[in-house]
Amino acid sequence: RFLAEAGSSLAVSLDLAKTAENVVNSSVPTLGDVATLDLADPEGALEPIAWAHVDPRKAPLMAKVARLVSSQRLPPLHPARKAFESGAVEFADAGAGEWPEGMSMSAELEDLLRALGIRSLLSVPLIARDKKLGVLTLSFAESARRHGPADLRLVKDFVHRAAVAVENALLYRDTQEAVAAREKFLSIASHELRTPLTTLQLQLQGAIRSIRRNGPAAVDRLLDQIQIAERQGARIGRLVNELLDVSRISIGKLKLQPEEFDLADVARETAEHFAALPEGKSTAIEVRAPTPVRGRWDRFRIEQAVSNLVSNAGKFG
């Protein structure tokens, strides 16, 4: 009956915080008077994410314990730390009023555990598809009970269900973050596409006016404008290709395309670009590049960086 009810409770939400809360609340009081769920961060450190006490009045004390554990980190011989490292159930008892030697908890933390009435700890690792996600620690306090073999079997069955629920919540969170990253990238890409497109349109409009006013006499001026338009068209093409890299960015594999070029050329092209924009007329841009600065970089991203610097200077400088 307990496992059936707990299974229903764990399936209610895909939100990680809510799922963690359901795990500890389902544990108390059947599996212990106190329950704490620690999840592992990318470096393997355990962070308390949810806790529950059979006596709701002791919730502030539980929160204080969580803050202390988070700031001090669990010592290597703490049952939760050992359970996570070994992948096996770990137990500690303070029946004589003292915790086993080697747990190395601070005096403040030990005082809090006494205030909570905790006399024993049973830590069980949460493992899903061979991946260690964290640890559920169950403690007895007011009831003065002790975990027996039958309790352990029940705890393991429950923790298996809890691990599946937590893994689903973690996968859902990662998916949401990936979607947000994609949306952010698409927003940036759209902005970056508009900038060279505006320059391209201005150059083409200027070329059309020159032809109408001056005809063949405007050849030199037209050539300069067409060259600028060609460069901006090529830039738009590269930006469009970058849109195809969304999947690589979402998994942290951004592909660079280094080539040899002169940074001074990039500076001059950026200055020309901003001078051609309507809002650029009120801002003077001076390029000092007496000698070439050649190197091998990803030109597209260097152009982005320089363009963003000049744009921000114009807006906020």
Side-chain angles (χ1 to χ4, degrees):
R1 184 169 62 250
F2 165 74
L3 290 175
E5 292 173 355
S8 298
S9 175
L10 295 175
V12 166
S13 174
L14 281 173
D15 178 74
L16 181 59
K18 182 64 178 175
T19 299
E21 185 180 313
N22 290 340
V23 168
V24 294
N25 287 338
S26 297
S27 305
V28 175
T30 304
L31 303 181
D33 300 327
V34 184
T36 304
L37 179 61
D38 298 280
L39 291 188
D41 65 16
E43 285 73 43
L46 293 173
E47 288 284 347
I49 187 174
W51 47 88
H53 196 288
V54 70
D55 183 354
R57 293 172 298 179
K58 293 187 176 180
L61 285 178
M62 289 295 297
K64 194 169 183 181
V65 168
R67 285 195 297 271
L68 273 176
V69 170
S70 182
S71 63
Q72 297 177 4
R73 303 294 186 185
L74 290 174
L77 294 181
H78 189 282
R81 184 76 251 172
K82 289 169 66 179
F84 183 76
E85 296 293 345
S86 67
V89 176
E90 294 289 342
F91 179 77
D93 190 271
E98 297 293 333
W99 291 102
E101 204 172 324
M103 284 181 62
S104 303
M105 289 186 292
S106 68
E108 185 180 7
L109 189 52
E110 289 193 24
D111 289 343
L112 282 170
L113 293 179
R114 289 193 190 94
L116 287 166
I118 293 175
R119 298 188 179 94
S120 66
L121 298 175
L122 178 67
S123 294
V124 188
L126 269 71
I127 302 174
R129 291 190 294 182
D130 297 325
K131 182 179 180 182
K132 291 184 283 190
L133 306 176
V135 178
L136 178 66
T137 298
L138 302 164
S139 311
F140 282 129
E142 275 86 350
S143 66
R145 293 159 54 198
R146 291 289 185 272
H147 287 106
D151 297 314
L152 190 55
R153 285 195 296 272
L154 185 62
V155 166
K156 286 182 175 178
D157 282 343
F158 171 75
V159 169
H160 172 71
R161 289 163 171 76
V164 172
V166 169
E167 183 195 34
N168 288 339
L170 287 169
L171 290 172
Y172 179 73
R173 183 194 65 182
D174 292 345
T175 301
Q176 294 295 95
E177 290 176 352
V179 170
R182 186 196 65 183
E183 295 292 334
K184 182 178 180 182
F185 174 76
L186 290 174
S187 174
I188 293 171
S190 299
H191 173 76
E192 294 293 338
L193 277 167
R194 282 196 299 270
T195 302
L197 188 58
T198 301
T199 303
L200 179 60
Q201 289 172 331
L202 287 170
Q203 295 301 324
L204 292 175
Q205 289 166 3
I208 291 169
R209 284 195 298 270
S210 294
I211 291 172
R212 287 174 175 168
R213 281 199 306 263
N214 305 314
V219 171
D220 291 339
R221 172 63 179 161
L222 284 172
L223 184 60
D224 290 340
Q225 290 177 316
I226 291 170
Q227 286 174 336
I228 293 173
E230 182 185 28
R231 287 197 297 269
Q232 295 304 319
R235 186 180 175 195
I236 291 172
R238 291 196 299 273
L239 282 164
V240 170
N241 288 334
E242 285 298 310
L243 288 173
L244 301 177
D245 283 342
V246 173
S247 60
R248 293 175 184 168
I249 290 174
S250 67
I251 59 173
K253 293 183 178 179
L254 188 64
K255 187 177 179 181
L256 299 177
Q257 296 180 329
E259 60 179 290
E260 188 173 327
F261 63 91
D262 182 4
L263 283 178
D265 287 344
V266 173
R268 281 188 283 267
E269 288 173 11
T270 302
E272 289 176 6
H273 159 66
F274 279 95
L277 296 176
E279 59 267 27
K281 302 302 181 184
S282 60
T283 304
I285 303 176
E286 180 185 355
V287 180
R288 299 183 197 173
T291 58
V293 184
R294 300 200 64 82
R296 188 171 176 79
W297 303 282
D298 186 314
R299 181 170 186 133
F300 170 67
R301 291 180 175 84
I302 291 292
E303 287 175 348
Q304 280 185 310
V306 176
S307 179
N308 288 339
L309 286 169
V310 176
S311 176
N312 287 339
K315 290 176 183 175
F316 311 113

